[in-house]
Amino acid sequence: MPKDWYEWHDLYNTEPKLQQRLEIVREYIAYSLNASPDGAIRIVSVCAGDGRDLLGILKNHPRAKDVSARLVEINSNLVERGRATIESLDLASQIEFINGDATLAANYVEAVPADIVIVCGVFGNLADEAELNRLLDNLSFLSKQGAFIIWTRGHSNGITYSETVRKILRTSGFEEVNFKLTPTRDMGVGLHRYLGENLAVPKEQELFVFSGIASKAR
């Protein structure tokens, strides 16, 4: 089992469900870029890991130069790897990789409201449904009205947790654009649009509590 999130990300090299999840997430990022109006596109990524989902698309996407992004990740080794990729893509002037706590609103100031919000690998690391509702409520600070929200949720013990997420999103001011299960059928990936109003000031300084650990990641 991985001892930390840096080792966990190396599982992308061997785990089909993670590889399949990444492929769908990248598909949705590309879709969101293509569907965004002409001009600047602002992106934030919550618990960004090494940024391979977004950076893998910007490598070849025709709208890469329209993007300004802030990625927030607490693991310094993952941030270092992500920054190296950004440099290799010559996107350092557009993409900021923050080594900090993704749960804190302060780490998104001046980077929001965003046109695209990536919250992948987060929902399965929240303590309960109440914490999920709290995070979704606080997306009103991160998101423009009409922003694309890309998320993931794993399944376990025969429980399709992604269906719970979809149900909550439907009643919380989000419109579903697309949803797919990985071919292994144990990971859901969703693309929604935020229909509510942006809040210039966050409702809470702590947007959510991340309670997961790498060795038991869901």
Side-chain angles (χ1 to χ4, degrees), residues 6 18 41 78 85 105 124 127 135 144:
Y6 186 77
L18 292 180
I41 304 171
L78 287 169
T85 303
L135 171 53
K144 288 182 180 178

Side-chain angles (χ1 to χ4, degrees), residues 21 24-25 28-29 117-124 132 135-136 139 148-155 160-170 174-181 187-193:
R21 182 181 86 167
I24 300 170
V25 169
Y28 288 172
I29 292 172
V117 179
I118 302 170
V119 280
C120 295
V122 179
F123 293 168
L132 172 61
L135 171 53
L136 294 178
L139 287 180
F148 291 102
I149 312 296
I150 301 164
W151 60 271
T152 63
R153 182 64 170 97
H155 300 169
T160 53
Y161 288 108
S162 62
E163 289 304 312
T164 300
V165 175
R166 296 172 77 190
K167 180 180 177 180
I168 293 173
L169 285 166
R170 282 195 295 270
F174 296 85
E175 176 186 52
E176 185 167 287
V177 178
N178 207 342
F179 174 82
K180 290 184 179 181
L181 287 176
M187 188 76 68
V189 186
L191 175 64
H192 281 68
R193 296 199 83 161

